[in-house]
Amino acid sequence: MSAEHTQRLAPFSRGQCIVLGCLAAAPLLERVIPSLQLSSPLRTVIVFAIMALGLNIVVGWTGLLNLGIAAFAAIGAYTFGILTCETYPFQVGFWWGILLAGIVGAFAGWLLGAPTLRLRGDYLAIVTLGFGEIVQDGLKNLEVITKGTQGINPLPAPSFFGTVLTSENNVQWFYLYLAILVVIVWLMRNLEFSRLGRQWFAVREDELAARCMAICPDKTKLKAFAAGAAMAALSGALGASLLSSTGEPSNYDFQISILALCIVIVGGIGSITGVLLGAIVMVGLNVVVLPNIAESLQRNGIGSTSNVFSAPNNYKFLIFGLALVLMMRYRPDGLIQTKKAVRS
Amino acid sequence: MSAATTFTNTASTSANTGATPLLEIKGIVAGYGRVEVLHQISLTVNQGEIVSLIGGNGAGKSTTLMCISGILALRGGEIHFAQQRIDGTRADKLVARGLVQVPEGRRIFPRMTVLENLMMGAYCRNDRAGIAADLEKVYALFDILKLRSTQLGGTLSGGEQQMLAIGRAIMSKPQLLMMDEPSMGIAPLLVTKIFEAVRALNQEGLTILLVEQNARAALRLSHRGYVLETGRVVLADESKRLLVDPRVLESYLGE
Ligand SMILES: Nc1ncnc2c1ncn2[C@@H]1O[C@H](COP(=O)(O)OP(=O)(O)O)[C@@H](O)[C@H]1O
Ligand SMILES: [Mg+2]
């Protein structure tokens, strides 16, 4: 057999090691610069990285545009909420909660995908967009179960070996989420080189050719949709645990879906390392860089919340937009470029 | 060309004796939307044969192959493969049973390497040893593919892509290989090479259904041929007779 198939796959690529390693080292910076807030906001980066890795299966690997990934995060968050919150009868723990959220998410992805995946690209995008809105409205109106705009709370923090984390343990919490991310990256890498991964690429490249290779495109797409939805739901559950609340349904709106899409595109569509980098850049800007700048400005008496122009957070979308335009101009394949054909 | 002539002569006799049908198409009707494209087409491919299906642009050749592959649903008629009825069976199941198509326009995976493309062909198989052997077979048939194995499919020339498409199909371990216009848009020298490879595959026992607009080359290579015109079989005969048939000469051989 060819070298490619006899060689054992390294658990992580070099790029993945570097990015994950840098993330792991980040809390050390906090020791050096005590005023720097890192481990707490980086948990949010991890939550978004997981969502974007899920979206990457659908958009990057299978070539389907999903504009409603946030809906699956919402489904995951609310599943986690209902299963773990003390006002409901189930009250499972954190770990069961995130696991079941992932499973319910996969099921939701399958339910949405089954009737709609035959639609051609742009129609599918519109359907997923609509689904994103419907889920928000549904959650808002199912008040009996979801508590409407109040959100479900309080929700459990992660616990391991008998210790329950609190807001005092941000660093441990960060490392726990990082460990979950590491496991997911390892899973994704194995998936990428698995039979299913090859199936996804084949369908992305050429559906008819894939059919000539004994691949059923419909089933293949459905698996991608379900896998992506499961990851998004997991990220939703992790995010909810972080806030100790599902938040209101409109927290999972189109902006979140677009942010996840931007992460995938900026990072380098199809590349796991790229998506991780994309999450660090896009979400990091949002939750680490801008708040830290704002804080230091305020400390020095330069910025004030009363002046809208002096609050860096208000430039968020301007910076996003600029970043996207610059990316499209100078690195249209993202920060990390997957191999591309010279001629097709 | 003398080799080709002797080949056809010996082949046509073997095709006449003790023929077991591998593929039988009985009066199939198919179309797109409201338009009926195939009107009651029947044809047979026997074990070990090369059969060519020739006809002008839009005659329905590709549509016929899509029906056989299970990608396009029939509106009438039956298809039997290896003594079993297969119409209505899903395309991916048919590939696993040995009914493999090299689609029109090659359709290799441009962003996968040559080796990855070939391995996609073996996607439906689990026999590692068999896959490795077939890979060597493909490399022996088209040595250029071995040289280019780590190159992206999309960077190959048209002729090389066609070789890759055929190689990929061979990796699926076909019993019947259907090729849709393998000579289309390819330099004449490479066409010769590809047709030689087709002959070599057939001599190893592979049954082939060859769709071509290049009627002369296809008929020289095949044992029998069918001529398709606007969705109907208008002529069916041994290839050597079709080559001198006045109707074929006039319409497809430009004489
Ligand atoms: N996907 C399609 N939708 C509608 N009509 C089609 C489609 N594919 C082919 N046709 C029509 O069917 C007829 C036969 O096409 P085809 O089988 O591709 O011919 P050939 O391969 O012999 O050139 C043509 O008239 C063509 O326009
Ligand atoms: Mg055609």
Side-chain angles (χ1 to χ4, degrees), chain B residues 205-255:
Chain B
L206 184 60
T207 311
I208 290 163
L209 177 58
L210 177 65
V211 164
E212 265 298 340
Q213 276 198 58
N214 186 345
R216 190 186 306 271
L219 289 174
R220 278 188 177 145
L221 187 65
S222 58
H223 307 124
R224 294 187 303 113
Y226 291 84
V227 179
L228 207 58
E229 259 170 33
T230 56
R232 287 191 174 81
V233 174
V234 292
L235 277 173
D237 209 336
E238 283 176 27
S239 297
K240 60 175 180 184
R241 287 204 220 143
L242 287 176
L243 270 170
V244 295
D245 190 295
R247 288 165 293 184
V248 179
L249 281 174
E250 191 189 346
S251 310
Y252 301 102
L253 302 175
E255 280 171 29

Side-chain angles (χ1 to χ4, degrees), chain B residues 166-189:
Chain B
I166 296 171
R168 188 178 61 179
I170 292 168
M171 294 303 292
S172 305
K173 206 176 179 122
Q175 278 194 59
L176 172 67
L177 184 63
M178 301 185 285
M179 288 189 243
D180 199 345
E181 304 207 24
S183 74
M184 188 171 62
I186 288 171
L189 202 68

Side-chain angles (χ1 to χ4, degrees), chain B residues 102-173:
Chain B
V102 183
E104 188 172 359
R106 315 184 274 272
R107 309 194 82 134
I108 51 126
F109 301 114
R111 287 186 291 178
M112 291 189 195
T113 66
V114 167
L115 180 60
E116 284 169 341
N117 264 280
L118 291 173
M119 282 304 163
M120 278 315 302
Y123 163 79
C124 57
R125 301 169 62 182
N126 291 318
D127 54 325
R128 294 180 70 112
I131 293 171
D134 280 348
L135 185 63
E136 286 314 310
K137 196 168 119 187
V138 170
Y139 282 159
L141 200 62
F142 302 118
D143 45 1
I144 189 80
L145 294 183
K146 187 164 193 171
L147 249 78
R148 302 251 186 280
S149 65
T150 58
Q151 199 171 316
L152 293 184
T155 64
L156 300 181
S157 79
E160 289 163 352
Q161 287 189 9
Q162 185 64 57
M163 293 177 191
L164 179 55
I166 296 171
R168 188 178 61 179
I170 292 168
M171 294 303 292
S172 305
K173 206 176 179 122

Side-chain angles (χ1 to χ4, degrees), chain A residues 170-220:
Chain A
N170 278 343
V171 177
Q172 286 96 318
W173 199 325
F174 163 75
Y175 279 115
L176 184 72
Y177 273 26
L178 184 62
I180 295 176
L181 180 67
V182 168
V183 171
I184 284 175
V185 168
W186 175 78
L187 274 175
M188 294 286 291
R189 181 167 162 78
N190 278 287
L191 207 49
E192 185 178 4
F193 292 95
S194 70
R195 271 170 78 81
L196 185 56
R198 299 285 120 181
Q199 252 173 301
W200 283 334
F201 297 164
V203 167
R204 176 193 69 190
E205 296 286 285
D206 192 326
E207 231 175 273
L208 179 79
R211 294 178 86 156
C212 291
M213 309 284 88
I215 292 166
C216 175
D218 290 347
K219 281 199 214 161
T220 307

Side-chain angles (χ1 to χ4, degrees), chain B residues 31-33 35 37-38 55-64 104 180-181 211 213 228:
Chain B
Y32 305 94
V35 190
V37 172
L38 302 183
N57 209 350
K61 305 181 297 294
S62 299
T63 306
T64 307
E104 188 172 359
D180 199 345
E181 304 207 24
V211 164
Q213 276 198 58
L228 207 58

Side-chain angles (χ1 to χ4, degrees), chain A residues 11-39:
Chain A
F12 298 101
S13 75
R14 209 177 55 192
Q16 288 157 12
C17 289
I18 294 172
V19 175
L20 292 173
C22 286
L23 270 178
L28 299 178
L29 260 179
E30 269 182 344
R31 302 238 173 119
V32 184
I33 314 167
S35 67
L36 203 58
Q37 294 283 312
L38 271 181
S39 47

